[in-house]
Amino acid sequence: MSPEVVGSGGLLRLLTWLSPAFPVGAFTYSHGLEWAIEAGDVTDAGSLEAWLSDVLRFGAGRSDMILFARAFDAAAHADLDGLREIAELGHALGPSRERRLEASAQGRAFADTVRRTWGAPTLDWLMSADLPLVYPVAVAVACADHGVPPVPGMTATLSAFAANVVSAAVRAVPLGQTDGQRLIARLEPVIAAVVDEARHGTLDDVGGAALAADIASMKHETQYTRLFRS
Amino acid sequence: MSHDSPDAVREEAATAAGAPAATPVLQRARGVAEVAFKLVDGETRLDRLLQDGCCKMRFPRVYDGRPVAVLLNTAGGVTGGDDLRYGVTFAPGTRAVATTQAAERIYRRSAGLGRIATRLVVGDGAEAEWLPQETIVFDRAGLDRHLDIDLAGTARLTAVEQIVLGRTAMGETVRTASAIDRWRIRRDGRLVYADTLRLEGDAAAILAGRATGAGAAAMASLVHAGPGAEGRLEELRALFDRFAGEATGVVAGASAVDGLLVARLLAPGGRPLRDCLISVLENFRGRPVPRVWHC
């Protein structure tokens, strides 16, 4: 079996862990989209596709996938010093208070739930070392502990992120359910390309240019009417 | 990239110039400038100064007890393969400013990235300001910049970096560039802020989107650290309301994380970005920006 083929046990876990029903509260975060809608930057399916595609390629999407890939390899090789560096970098990369909340609250909730159910020794170590735990790093470590290969894990994680932002848009733009799913279908090649590029990226390759999305998350903190925590 | 073999450099240079492989390999600029400030009878004084190669520092006379180190690149710009290093150490309790003599220009290269590495070490109770002028990245330029800042205890910091793509006032557009600008801030050894701007390829196209640059050609990051820093968030936001916004074309946001104030700015060009930053920095710090900003 190719190292990137996921077995049925691994597939079940991935489907469960990245399901919108998994209790990390994903539905409460919009990644700053709620402000982009308020500001008139995102008004329909077309402008949402451009915004989200840029966030995937030039923003947290790409950087999170590099963090995932490096955290997976570090956990799989029991490289705890490497894992510590990745965990700290993942946290420090958060550009605003709400984006740090989005990354760390979901990471903590994910790790708490997995530890009390399937169990994950490397997640135990990260929590006991009192290290910050952003969401992609937590999922990567759980995948490594359970033998779920990185590319399926990264694809599932990035796809769940994109679907969550689209779901936020369906509620806040508003956007039709079918339009939302059409957009998710169109983003498939973007997700595949970002995962492919990130798989062998180094920590030095993290970074991007989603500056307006970062500013949107900052301005969201003072938005008068809010459905979302980011 | 900065360790290309001479043959590879010649080959790329020839390709870039569309000329045969006889194109000479350009002399690359190297430089180091490091200064340390110390506290003597409650006053900040120059401690050590090291200057080598194209990097220099000047210390104009100041009247407010806050020395200013003015960094200078005598090579007159940066191109592929250049290697510039700056360091400023602020001993505990000192107060000083570091800035640059002029806008740094990153010119079209034949190969490799120009590397600029700056390290600031700020002791307990010191007040450090890193207020360089803008960096202008020209078409087909390559920049690999590192800003590493170590804060101890109650150290205070105000730091800004501005990047402008081309001479925006002349309508230049940067279609091919490689600009990587990294910030890493540690407090008592712990990483509290990491940011990497990465523009590789068609910078104007990358920055066209509403999630990226919304069409901006100039951008800045601003960080303020120290006891009570987070408590000044509303003040900073009010300054952005006053000096950024639709009339200026500048879009700015601010937040507070891990004992830091962090802000980002996007602007249509270098001039509106600089005008906004001068007003915000002067009001926020209660002091003028370094005089060289107005030369």
Side-chain angles (χ1 to χ4, degrees):
Chain A
M1 199 162 70
S2 146
E4 291 296 354
V5 172
V6 58
S8 64
L11 180 60
L12 276 170
R13 272 161 229 168
L14 263 191
L15 287 169
T16 304
W17 293 345
L18 279 313
S19 151
F22 202 69
V24 298
F27 65 94
T28 61
Y29 303 99
S30 88
H31 203 75
L33 176 70
E34 192 172 24
W35 173 264
I37 293 166
E38 168 91 8
D41 287 338
V42 172
T43 55
D44 54 16
S47 48
L48 174 62
E49 181 174 357
W51 194 90
L52 181 50
S53 173
D54 279 352
V55 167
L56 294 172
R57 292 187 301 155
F58 303 115
R62 179 179 172 280
S63 288
D64 280 358
M65 287 304 97
I66 294 173
L67 291 170
F68 187 120
R70 298 286 57 82
F72 181 95
D73 287 353
H77 295 101
D79 173 10
L80 298 184
D81 287 341
L83 206 48
R84 176 188 297 275
E85 184 189 355
I86 296 159
E88 288 182 344
L89 177 63
H91 171 73
L93 281 168
S96 67
R97 184 166 53 78
E98 291 190 351
R99 286 274 298 279
R100 289 195 182 194
L101 175 73
E102 175 184 326
S104 65
Q106 292 186 93
R108 288 262 148 186
F110 179 87
D112 271 338
T113 308
V114 170
R115 290 172 70 206
R116 287 189 284 165
T117 48
W118 290 265
T122 315
L123 276 181
D124 288 341
W125 175 78
L126 272 167
M127 302 280 273
S128 66
D130 201 26
L131 287 169
L133 195 49
V134 296
Y135 192 28
V137 171
V139 180
V141 169
C143 285
D145 277 356
H146 285 263
V148 176
V151 168
M154 291 163 73
T155 308
T157 303
L158 195 56
S159 163
F161 170 74
N164 191 60
V165 172
V166 170
S167 162
V170 166
R171 282 171 281 162
V173 169
L175 189 73
Q177 292 283 2
T178 310
D179 286 335
Q181 295 310 311
R182 276 195 199 107
L183 170 51
I184 287 173
R186 279 201 300 274
L187 288 172
E188 280 178 13
V190 176
I191 290 170
V194 170
V195 168
D196 186 53
E197 184 196 340
R199 176 66 188 98
H200 299 291
T202 67
L203 291 185
D204 217 31
D205 297 321
V206 160
L211 306 168
D214 294 348
I215 292 174
S217 78
M218 294 168 169
K219 289 185 173 279
H220 184 262
E221 292 175 15
T222 56
Q223 191 167 333
Y224 187 66
T225 310
R226 302 156 17 122
L227 292 172
F228 299 95
R229 299 171 81 194
S230 74
Chain B
M1 289 296 284
S2 56
H3 302 291
D4 287 328
S5 74
D7 284 349
V9 172
R10 266 192 294 273
E11 193 176 302
E12 279 206 54
T15 311
T23 311
V25 178
L26 298 174
Q27 187 72 46
R28 284 155 173 194
R30 296 267 185 278
V32 180
E34 293 175 357
V35 66
F37 292 106
K38 63 181 173 183
L39 201 61
V40 180
D41 300 330
E43 288 190 16
T44 302
R45 299 274 175 79
L46 201 62
D47 187 8
R48 322 181 288 276
L49 175 64
L50 163 77
Q51 304 178 94
D52 189 39
C54 65
C55 295
K56 308 274 185 236
M57 285 193 193
R58 295 171 46 207
F59 300 89
R61 181 171 292 279
V62 292
Y63 302 95
D64 63 355
R66 203 179 286 261
V68 177
V70 179
L71 281 51
L72 187 60
N73 170 15
T74 58
V78 174
T79 187
D82 289 356
D83 190 351
L84 278 54
R85 287 155 206 257
Y86 299 103
V88 185
T89 299
F90 305 78
T94 56
R95 304 189 307 178
V97 183
T99 184
T100 54
Q101 175 72 29
E104 184 65 281
R105 288 169 168 78
I106 315 300
Y107 291 114
R108 172 179 168 164
R109 60 359 201 307
S110 53
L113 301 174
R115 183 183 153 94
I116 304 175
T118 302
R119 176 165 213 99
L120 310 178
V121 178
V122 190
D124 188 35
E127 283 184 47
E129 294 194 316
W130 171 246
L131 304 174
Q133 301 193 62
E134 70 271 27
T135 297
I136 305 174
V137 177
F138 288 92
D139 202 23
R140 304 179 73 169
L143 170 67
D144 177 23
R145 187 162 66 181
H146 295 252
L147 174 61
D148 284 284
I149 303 175
D150 284 302
L151 305 173
T154 62
R156 292 173 191 273
L157 167 79
T158 302
V160 69
E161 286 284 8
Q162 314 163 60
I163 288 195
V164 181
L165 298 172
R167 281 170 296 190
T168 48
M170 298 173 68
E172 286 181 0
T173 305
V174 174
R175 285 291 171 192
T176 310
S178 185
I180 304 164
D181 191 22
R182 299 181 181 79
W183 287 65
R184 297 289 183 270
I185 301 178
R186 289 180 173 75
R187 191 194 295 115
D188 296 324
R190 191 172 72 86
L191 188 67
V192 289
Y193 181 76
D195 183 45
T196 302
L197 172 71
R198 177 177 292 277
L199 287 169
E200 287 179 294
D202 187 337
I206 291 170
L207 290 173
R210 293 294 182 98
T212 50
M219 59 221 78
S221 292
L222 170 68
V223 174
H224 175 69
E230 292 200 34
R232 298 187 67 189
L233 177 58
E234 293 318 311
E235 187 188 341
L236 183 58
R237 282 183 168 148
L239 290 172
F240 284 146
D241 285 344
R242 227 172 114 197
F243 297 111
E246 274 176 36
T248 63
V250 180
V251 178
S255 188
V257 293
D258 244 322
L260 310 171
L261 279 188
V262 296
R264 283 204 194 292
L265 298 88
L266 288 167
R271 192 58 197 248
L273 180 65
R274 182 188 181 89
D275 288 347
C276 174
L277 271 175
I278 288 175
S279 299
V280 169
L281 286 170
E282 296 199 334
N283 280 276
F284 187 77
R285 296 155 53 253
R287 289 188 301 283
V289 293
R291 268 178 298 156
V292 286
W293 277 51
H294 296 294
C295 291

